[in-house]
Amino acid sequence: MSTPCGICTRLVGDGLPMCEVCGRTLVEALLAVPSLLADLETARTGQARIAEGRAGGRSAEAPLPIKDTSSEYRGRGVRLLGERDAVALSTALHGWARVLADHLGAEVPIESRSLAVLAANARHTGGSAEAPAIVHERRLRDGERVRDSHVARRTAAHLITPVQEDERLAVWLASHPHELRLLEAAEQAYHDIVNATGGLRRAIDRPADQRYLGRCPVVLDDGDPCAANLWAEPDATWARCPRCHVQHEVARIEAAATEAAREMLCTMPELLHACAAVGSPIARRTGYRWATEGRLARRAWLIRTRASVRITDRHEDGAVPVYRVGDALELARREVAEHLAAAPTGRARSKTP
């Protein structure tokens, strides 16, 4: 019998307290937790703009990641950026993880290496429900282990930043979409988690507002490259490395990246992505038309196997043509120049009766 969803009032054919659409929204909110916590740390270290309900540029000095709470509490005080929202989210995750674990008759595999890897991957997917959510746990029911999975120790050890407990709980919850819909208090779980992630999202400034410049090229005293991620404001001319604190000229980094990209040999989808990344986007249809017409020369063939990826001059079964990025950039530049040169003639001709 169909029953109304407790959140959107949509009729639910399987009679559960929450519909599939709201269930996907809840899963997406949970999968976004790792990236939100990473962005919160970015904002607290001054690498992102902190928008306190205002528009416009930022001051010359990086603002402290704190908020004056004098108007909210008696006396004076400050609160770290996103602190209240992060605490609310952590409370919701711990509480609903206990509820779901009791419902399943399971223990949350909080120390599982595979769960840590899934949480680390979720930092980059940003809450996409298309990313596979796999249950990694040791569940005991009536003394019998139902599911089990492992990840190589070296894989988990290579995580750059240790995965927080809240990230693990969020991904574990997200890996049980149907079980979340089965909870009697599914509506309350939805509001607690979705509202907490929404508050945290509003408290921080997402790195999408910044340009990614690549890795820091500075060589440290120990001989190893810094390799920290460099970000810059849309109109910034300089960017400071968050690790070695060296100032980099944005134009010089972008010019070096463009020059290096010109020599890259890429498949057509990779070439279109590379051209867009260096500021010269090419339409997909245009790129394939150039290749079909022979205007964009094929440089070699790419062959992917289970063992390796190699580029060869000889065509083999399964080989994919590769093109030089610089050739596409030069072809795009010539087409723009020809179009601009023909534009005045076209306008003059249109005025002729």
Side-chain angles (χ1 to χ4, degrees):
M1 186 179 76
S2 299
T3 58
C5 173
I7 299 163
C8 66
T9 69
R10 184 184 287 106
L11 290 180
V12 185
D14 51 17
L16 298 183
M18 181 166 55
C19 68
E20 291 186 2
V21 175
C22 293
R24 283 196 299 269
T25 301
L26 175 57
V27 169
E28 289 173 355
L30 288 166
L31 291 176
V33 168
S35 64
L36 285 172
L37 294 178
D39 290 350
L40 177 63
E41 185 63 24
T42 298
R44 284 178 171 178
T45 55
Q47 299 174 53
R49 290 181 298 178
I50 300 174
E52 276 297 315
R54 65 175 180 83
R58 61 183 296 176
S59 63
E61 297 182 359
L64 293 175
I66 59 176
K67 177 182 179 181
D68 186 359
T69 60
S70 301
S71 60
E72 302 177 20
Y73 307 103
R74 294 181 179 179
R76 300 181 60 183
V78 295
R79 184 177 65 237
L80 194 62
L81 173 69
E83 179 184 8
R84 184 170 61 184
D85 304 287
V87 170
L89 176 60
S90 180
T91 302
L93 292 174
H94 280 77
W96 289 110
R98 287 195 300 270
V99 172
L100 183 59
D102 292 342
H103 174 78
L104 296 173
E107 294 183 3
V108 180
I110 200 65
E111 298 299 332
S112 168
R113 294 193 298 272
S114 53
L115 189 60
V117 173
L118 283 178
N121 291 341
R123 293 174 181 172
H124 307 288
T125 59
S128 173
E130 301 299 325
I134 306 172
V135 180
H136 290 275
E137 64 184 19
R138 295 170 183 260
R139 181 189 301 179
L140 295 178
R141 179 174 293 172
D142 298 330
E144 180 182 355
R145 187 172 64 186
V146 178
R147 300 180 186 179
D148 188 16
S149 62
H150 299 276
V151 164
R153 185 182 299 277
R154 62 182 180 182
T155 302
H158 285 170
L159 297 178
I160 297 175
T161 304
V163 177
Q164 303 178 36
E165 187 172 302
D166 288 348
E167 297 177 79
R168 298 170 186 250
L169 291 175
V171 173
W172 182 78
L173 285 166
S175 66
H176 298 81
H178 183 69
E179 288 83 352
L180 286 172
R181 294 180 58 220
L182 283 171
L183 294 177
E184 293 183 4
E187 180 182 354
Q188 188 61 45
Y190 176 94
H191 288 300
D192 288 350
I193 293 172
V194 172
N195 290 343
T197 54
L200 191 58
R201 194 184 303 273
R202 290 188 295 271
I204 60 180
D205 197 14
R206 300 300 298 248
D209 293 335
Q210 299 180 321
R211 288 178 292 168
Y212 180 63
L213 303 177
R215 300 281 186 171
C216 176
V218 172
V219 178
L220 303 177
D221 294 338
D222 57 6
D224 294 330
C226 174
N229 289 321
L230 296 176
W231 297 86
E233 301 292 334
D235 55 350
T237 56
W238 294 87
R240 182 187 295 275
C241 175
R243 182 181 179 188
C244 65
H245 307 295
V246 173
Q247 290 270 35
H248 297 275
E249 188 175 1
V250 174
R252 180 174 298 181
I253 291 179
E254 291 180 335
T258 301
E259 190 60 31
R262 295 180 68 88
E263 302 303 322
M264 292 172 56
L265 295 180
C266 306
T267 62
M268 182 58 70
E270 295 168 344
L271 180 140
L272 298 176
H273 179 77
C275 290
V278 298
S280 298
I282 297 173
R284 180 178 180 274
R285 187 190 316 180
T286 301
Y288 281 98
R289 175 172 57 82
W290 288 346
T292 302
E293 295 174 353
R295 300 178 63 188
L296 183 61
R298 171 182 50 79
R299 293 293 185 136
W301 298 93
L302 177 73
I303 301 174
R304 288 190 175 95
T305 65
R306 292 185 177 181
S308 64
V309 176
R310 57 191 176 91
I311 293 179
T312 178
D313 294 332
R314 295 182 300 176
H315 180 266
E316 300 179 17
D317 291 341
V320 180
V322 292
Y323 309 90
R324 181 175 173 270
V325 174
D327 295 343
L329 294 175
E330 180 61 25
L331 189 55
R333 186 194 64 79
R334 288 203 306 266
E335 282 212 347
V336 171
E338 293 172 1
H339 176 74
L340 294 177
T345 303
R347 287 197 299 268
R349 188 172 297 146
S350 64
K351 294 180 182 178
T352 303

